[in-house]
Structures are given as C-alpha cells and as structure tokens.
Amino acid sequence: MKAAESIRLSSFELKVGDIANVELEKLHGLSISVGWPHRAEDWQMLLEIGEGIAAQDEIGRVVATAMWFPLGANFATVGMVITSPRLQAHGAGRWIMNNVLARVGSRSLGLNATRAARRLYLSLGFAPARLVYQCQGDAVMPASALLPAGATLRNIEHSDLARLVALDRSAYGTDRSALMARLLDVSKGVALLREGRIQAFALCRPFGRGHVVGPVVAATDDDAIAVTGPHVAEHVGQFLRLDTRQETGPFPEFVARSGLPVYDTVTSMWLGRPWAVASEQDTGMLPVTYALASQAFG
Ligand SMILES: CC(C)(COP(=O)(O)OP(=O)(O)OC[C@H]1O[C@@H](n2cnc3c(N)ncnc32)[C@H](O)[C@@H]1OP(=O)(O)O)[C@@H](O)C(=O)NCCC(=O)NCCS
C-alpha cells in the first residue's frame, strides 16, 4: 500500500481557563518547550503570586499560557506569555493576550518582551521603553571592592521587610509589599547601612539553572556593587543570573567582571501609564532598581 507523503490536519480547538486549574507539570513542560529555564518550583511561586490563564486543546494539552501580577490597585506586570512551538505564528499569542487584556480591567500594564513577542505587543498598543540586559554565567570572584565610606553590611532579617518595601517602592514607583514578603521568604539578603539605617539591599534566591540576584535597590553604583558582591562571592563557580536596565557605568562593569556577561536583552514595554521609560538617575529619582526581581515581576 502506498501512503501519502503529506497531509493537512485541521487546526484544533483551544479553550482558555484559569491557570490555577492546570497541573504544574503541564505548565513546566510548556516553558521547557520554548527553552525557558523555570523549574516547577519557580512556576509554583508565580502561581502563588499572580493570576493567569492557560489554553488547552480537546485532550487537555496545555498549548498557551499568560499571567499577570497585580501590584497595587492600578498596575500589573504581564509575564509567562508562551505558545507551544507547533502553534506559533498562527494567532494563538494574540488570542491569549486579548484574553489577558479583557481580564485585567483598567490596570496599566508593564512587561518585558522577548524579540519573538515584540511585534505582538506593539500591535496590541504597548509602547517600548528601556532594554533589560539579562546577565548570566558561572560566577567568578569579584575583585574585592572597598566598602563605600561610612557603610556597613549585614544579612537581611525578616524584621527588615518594611524598610525594604519602602526602598523598593521609591525605586519601582509602586508598592510591592506582598511580592517583597514572598521574595524574602525564599531569598538571602544583604543590606548596606549608614548610621544604623538600611540604604541599599540585594536579594538572591534559587531560580532556573542556579540562582538569581534581584531585586537590587541602591542610590549609587558603589552601594549596589557592595550589596551584590557578597552574593557573587557566595556562588563562585555556580550559575548566577542578574537582570539589569543599567547599560553603562561601574555596576554593569562589575556584573560582567563577576562572570555574568550579557546573554540576551528584552524590551520593557507599557500600556496605559508609562513604565520603565527613563532611568531613575535621569529623572533624579533615588534610589534606583539596579536589578529586577525577575523579568515577569519587573
Ligand atoms: C511570543 C509568542 C508568545 C508569540 O506567540 P504566537 O502564537 O506566535 O503569536 P501570534 O501567532 O498571535 O503572532 C503575533 C505576532 O507576532 C509575530 N510573530 C510570531 N512569532 C514571531 C517570531 N518568532 N519573530 C517575530 N515575529 C513573530 C506574528 O507574525 C504576529 O504578527 P502579525 O500579526 O503582525 O503577523 C511565542 O512566539 C512564544 O511563546 N515564544 C517563546 C516564548 C516567548 O518569547 N514569550 C514571550 C514572553 S514576553
């Protein structure tokens, strides 16, 4: 019998539902299929913090996801927008994003767009802002930097949460108390103090292929380096990642010297109220977010 060498299969029907009702392994499988490093634990944390939708086909395969992370009453970041490789460029990305927009209400949105997603978001009305440099690699011992004048370092404790939230709010422009509390649960933190008051901090937690440093909040590059250095030193020889919008200056130079070259870039984009448009230094706003909590949270 001779079999036809090609066949056209009719496209299948997808239904969108709450991501909370989908098995974790299926979400994890989808992010692996597009080469993303998330572990099941990383998905678990995203699901605890945010809301989202997942599209499934007739036999329950998860073929697309999108999440949003409400921060304050009027803003959310969007992340984990993924469509299965065999579906891409057939309209599923646009369809799932339209479902997100219908669900987030009047919130302004911020997201970090990969190259593959940029055109989709532009056509949905998102405006491009600054680039994020995804820096990663096996950490090497940074040359020991002198501690900035009058500063001391110590490990962060749970009782520091209110101060960290306040510094993060000044830098980020939105209150992220719930997110910061959750991050503190799973992170080690280093704080820089002057006269007994925390003026800069860096958190570091397990993520993806190793650990991620972020957020890092500080008023100067030297302070940011001082709080990031101990995390680099602790992970020498191990995979470490840090996402920053700092393009030039002592901080990104320090990150590169620590064995974390720029691996990729994503573009911050916003819809509604401008987000991540100008650098905090340019606007005279201090402190500054030197490293993102993650691409999904901004
Ligand atoms: C980005 C992604 C979600 C887009 O999903 P999709 O199902 O391909 O989206 P659509 O089919 O609705 O296409 C939307 C637009 O993007 C364009 N597009 C799709 N894939 C593209 C690619 N690899 N490069 C450039 N443009 C692309 C399409 O042509 C379309 O534009 P048009 O309507 O003007 O022709 C999908 O490619 C993906 O999961 N990529 C890997 C993970 C990722 O990068 N996620 C984005 C996180 S911000």
Side-chain angles (χ1 to χ4, degrees):
M1 194 181 85
K2 198 167 182 303
E5 286 184 1
S6 75
I7 182 174
R8 179 178 291 265
L9 295 172
S10 65
S11 60
F12 41 119
E13 196 177 321
L14 307 179
K15 286 216 171 68
V16 71
D18 190 338
I19 201 166
N21 300 330
V22 173
E23 293 95 322
L24 198 61
E25 310 87 75
K26 291 185 177 175
L27 301 174
H28 191 208
L30 182 65
S31 59
I32 287 174
S33 77
V34 295
W36 282 11
H38 299 70
R39 305 164 305 155
E41 295 94 315
D42 299 326
W43 265 107
Q44 183 61 50
M45 187 171 154
L46 290 158
L47 294 169
E48 284 166 23
I49 293 171
E51 296 172 44
I53 47 180
Q56 291 181 274
D57 67 9
E58 299 97 326
I59 57 166
R61 288 178 295 198
V62 174
V63 293
T65 56
M67 293 193 73
W68 58 98
F69 305 92
L71 298 170
N74 306 315
F75 179 73
T77 58
V78 170
M80 307 313 287
V81 178
I82 304 173
T83 63
S84 164
R86 66 205 159 90
L87 271 196
Q88 284 171 17
H90 286 92
R94 181 177 306 280
W95 169 70
I96 199 127
M97 273 307 294
N98 279 329
N99 269 280
V100 169
L101 297 178
R103 284 165 169 78
V104 294
S106 59
R107 285 175 190 274
S108 290
L109 300 176
L111 56 77
N112 290 304
T114 58
R115 233 161 267 123
R118 219 182 118 90
R119 204 161 111 190
L120 168 64
Y121 297 134
L122 280 173
S123 73
L124 290 169
F126 282 81
R130 296 167 69 203
L131 284 183
V132 173
Y133 300 87
Q134 179 180 334
C135 306
Q136 64 186 46
D138 290 335
V140 297
M141 197 65 179
S144 61
L146 286 177
L147 207 51
T152 54
L153 295 182
R154 71 159 167 79
N155 288 333
I156 281 170
E157 292 152 16
H158 246 276
S159 55
D160 295 324
L161 179 63
R163 176 66 183 147
L164 304 190
V165 166
L167 282 170
D168 181 72
R169 184 176 48 234
S170 311
Y172 192 90
T174 299
D175 188 293
R176 301 200 288 179
S177 1
L179 174 63
M180 289 296 294
R182 190 68 189 91
L183 289 175
L184 210 50
D185 284 343
V186 293
S187 302
K188 277 183 98 168
V190 174
L192 179 146
L193 290 85
R194 284 192 185 84
E195 291 166 5
R197 191 166 168 77
I198 297 180
Q199 299 207 324
F201 71 90
L203 301 187
C204 180
R205 66 182 190 279
F207 174 81
R209 295 168 58 190
H211 282 75
V212 63
V213 181
V216 175
V217 177
T220 65
D221 279 42
D222 285 350
D223 284 5
I225 292 169
V227 290
T228 303
H231 293 303
V232 176
E234 194 174 332
H235 295 97
V236 165
Q238 298 169 36
F239 185 86
L240 196 59
R241 168 172 170 175
L242 184 152
D243 290 88
T244 183
R245 293 197 185 95
Q246 303 296 312
E247 188 181 356
T248 56
F251 183 74
E253 286 164 17
F254 165 82
V255 171
R257 277 203 316 277
S258 301
L260 319 183
V262 176
Y263 165 80
D264 202 357
T265 57
V266 291
T267 308
S268 295
M269 301 181 82
W270 56 271
L271 186 70
R273 131 173 110 69
W275 180 73
V277 177
S279 82
E280 293 95 334
Q281 278 117 328
D282 292 347
T283 57
M285 201 169 112
L286 290 175
V288 170
T289 301
Y290 274 90
L292 276 55
S294 74
Q295 289 189 2
F297 303 140

